[in-house]
Amino acid sequence: MTTDLIQRTLSDQLDPHRPHIGVLTSGGDCPGLNAVLRAATKSAFWLGYQTIGFERGFEGLIDPVSYRILTPQNTGDILGLGGTILGSTNKGRFGARAGVDGRAELAPGLLDQVKATFERLNLEGLIVIGGDGSLSTALQFHEAGLPVVGVPKTIDNDLSCTAYTFGFNSAVYCCSDALDRLHTTAESHSRVMVMEVMGRHTGWIALHGGIAGGADVILLPEIPWTYEHIVDKIEERTRMGRNFTLIVVAEGAQLPDGSLVKKDASANKGGNLQVKLGGIAECVTHELDSRIDQDVRCVVLGHLQRGGGPTTFDRVLSSAFGAHAVRLIVEKKFGQMVCHDPPHILDAPIADAVGELRRVDPHGSVVQTARAMGICFGDTPGYVNPFDVPREA
């Protein structure tokens, strides 16, 4: 079947008596994407709208335009399904994030093609489900006068204006489950286990997953650390009769000399440089192996954190995000991103959400909780009392 015939067939499925809402998933996949699609589709249906799902992220908006009609029937059983039925990409022509906080303008002509698709399909609005890069693209759409709203998706939990992004809780569960398994084998063989988790510029997964999984050392991008302090912690545990240690390190944590461990750097189709981080756990493992008289082993979770179905928390959060995104379109509150301000689902300008990454506060309550339990962040030689109370002798 030719592309033109496919597009004519799809156009025949459009209901001319219902207004149309578009939706797409962009950037890295994560658990909960399908739950958002399901909620948005069902909510739109009951409000009298027809939902058009664009495939391959933003790429589906331009030649060759690629989409499918979403209905309560064909999205009814995807609530707990991982990945995204629409497909996604983070290597296309719509990259709008350069580095940590930089912005890259979209190539000339792309917006004109997108506008043509909006007009042709008579879209009332477009729901963009993505992280900081995808929402930076959505912001440029809004600035060009296109009716868009955003839904925050990233396992890194690093978007501003929202307490949680969906996918984060599921990634933390994966991390804590892995630590539970490493605990038994590490204790059996008196080993030090170094586990690397995702987190390019923020340590939310490492922090929450480390606490939930009983880690002894957590290394974050937000807190400088040294090998000497890690060794001190390992020796402290040995004196306490604990002959094993669990270390969690975020892929974006800097080495003591301030450098990042990178796999490679390459340009995407938009010409923007993409740096792939990874390998810090191997560096830490090699260095500790030369400093202590214990076996040190390395584990990298990698894309395991992105795969699988969403946790119950992420299912509920994703559903709330999808329904609220439709509400924003109905109310014509364009340029807004859905956000979670517990216990409320609210919205904030996309510009505020992508202006600056949300990082772990080294003095925040979660870090204090970890320190209170004796977890080491590699920045001090021993226990640090995080509370303004005296320590008993």
Side-chain angles (χ1 to χ4, degrees):
M1 185 178 290
T2 66
T3 300
D4 288 343
L5 181 56
I6 292 174
Q7 291 306 316
R8 287 200 300 271
T9 302
L10 286 170
S11 297
D12 291 342
Q13 299 175 19
L14 292 175
D15 186 344
H17 304 295
R18 283 175 173 251
H20 303 146
I21 289 178
V23 61
L24 61 82
T25 55
S26 178
D29 67 307
C30 76
L33 284 166
N34 286 321
V36 178
L37 295 176
R38 173 181 176 271
T41 299
K42 292 172 73 72
S43 179
F45 174 82
W46 290 111
L47 290 171
Y49 290 78
Q50 186 174 44
T51 303
I52 300 173
F54 291 94
E55 299 176 322
R56 299 178 292 108
F58 292 105
E59 297 296 314
L61 290 168
I62 61 176
D63 187 35
V65 176
S66 177
Y67 64 87
R68 65 179 72 177
I69 306 301
L70 301 181
T71 68
Q73 288 76 26
N74 63 27
T75 59
D77 59 353
I78 65 173
L79 176 62
L81 183 65
T84 165
I85 62 171
L86 294 179
S88 185
T89 180
N90 53 11
K91 296 181 179 180
R93 292 163 284 184
F94 287 86
R97 174 65 74 187
V100 182
D101 298 313
R103 163 170 155 162
E105 298 298 323
L106 295 178
L110 283 180
L111 285 173
D112 290 336
Q113 295 180 57
V114 172
K115 288 179 180 179
T117 299
F118 270 63
E119 293 172 0
R120 172 184 153 200
L121 298 179
N122 195 26
L123 292 182
E124 297 276 326
L126 175 69
I127 300 171
V128 175
I129 308 171
D132 64 317
S134 300
L135 292 179
S136 293
T137 298
L139 178 60
Q140 292 192 42
F141 281 16
H142 172 64
E143 292 169 347
L146 292 171
V148 298
V149 300
V151 173
K153 173 257 2 165
T154 168
I155 64 172
D156 290 342
N157 202 43
D158 58 2
L159 276 169
S160 297
C161 300
T162 184
Y164 295 105
T165 59
F166 75 87
F168 169 65
N169 186 265
S170 299
V172 168
Y173 177 82
C174 176
C175 177
S176 64
D177 179 66
L179 284 172
D180 287 344
R181 296 170 185 271
L182 289 177
H183 185 126
T184 58
T185 183
E187 187 171 16
S188 296
H189 292 275
S190 299
R191 285 174 174 155
V192 174
M193 306 296 293
V194 183
M195 188 176 80
E196 180 178 313
V197 300
M198 288 184 172
R200 288 177 55 81
H201 308 294
T202 62
W204 292 107
I205 296 176
L207 177 60
H208 284 248
I211 293 174
D216 308 297
V217 179
I218 301 175
L219 304 179
L220 308 176
E222 295 87 349
I223 300 178
W225 54 274
T226 68
Y227 286 112
E228 289 77 12
H229 293 154
I230 297 175
V231 172
D232 288 341
K233 180 62 180 180
I234 295 171
E235 293 176 344
E236 177 188 73
R237 286 180 55 76
T238 300
R239 291 193 297 270
M240 296 172 62
R242 307 294 280 173
N243 295 318
F244 70 97
T245 299
L246 299 179
I247 301 174
V248 178
V249 54
E251 64 183 357
Q254 295 180 352
L255 293 172
D257 64 4
S259 64
L260 290 171
V261 182
K262 304 174 183 177
K263 291 181 179 178
D264 57 47
S266 59
N268 62 18
K269 290 184 178 180
N272 299 316
L273 185 66
Q274 291 184 325
V275 176
K276 294 181 180 179
L277 301 181
I280 187 171
E282 186 175 348
C283 292
V284 173
T285 298
H286 182 267
E287 182 65 26
L288 290 180
D289 193 51
S290 68
R291 291 175 179 248
I292 62 176
D293 189 24
Q294 270 183 281
D295 284 340
V296 188
R297 301 296 173 87
C298 170
V299 175
V300 180
L301 287 189
H303 285 80
L304 286 172
Q305 297 157 92
R306 293 192 180 280
T311 59
T312 53
F313 179 88
D314 273 339
R315 294 187 191 197
V316 174
L317 186 63
S318 298
S319 298
F321 279 180
H324 194 85
V326 171
R327 176 180 177 179
L328 290 177
I329 290 179
V330 172
E331 295 180 350
K332 300 189 183 304
K333 294 180 65 175
F334 303 122
Q336 295 290 107
M337 183 194 79
V338 180
C339 60
H340 186 209
D341 184 11
H344 307 292
I345 301 297
L346 304 173
D347 51 87
I350 296 176
D352 292 347
V354 301
E356 183 178 359
L357 291 180
R358 178 173 172 267
R359 293 181 169 88
V360 172
D361 180 0
H363 306 290
S365 60
V366 183
V367 173
Q368 285 188 332
T369 296
R371 291 192 191 277
M373 296 187 295
I375 295 176
C376 170
F377 288 91
D379 57 337
T380 59
Y383 174 82
V384 174
N385 185 353
F387 307 125
D388 189 20
V389 294
R391 180 184 181 187
E392 294 293 334

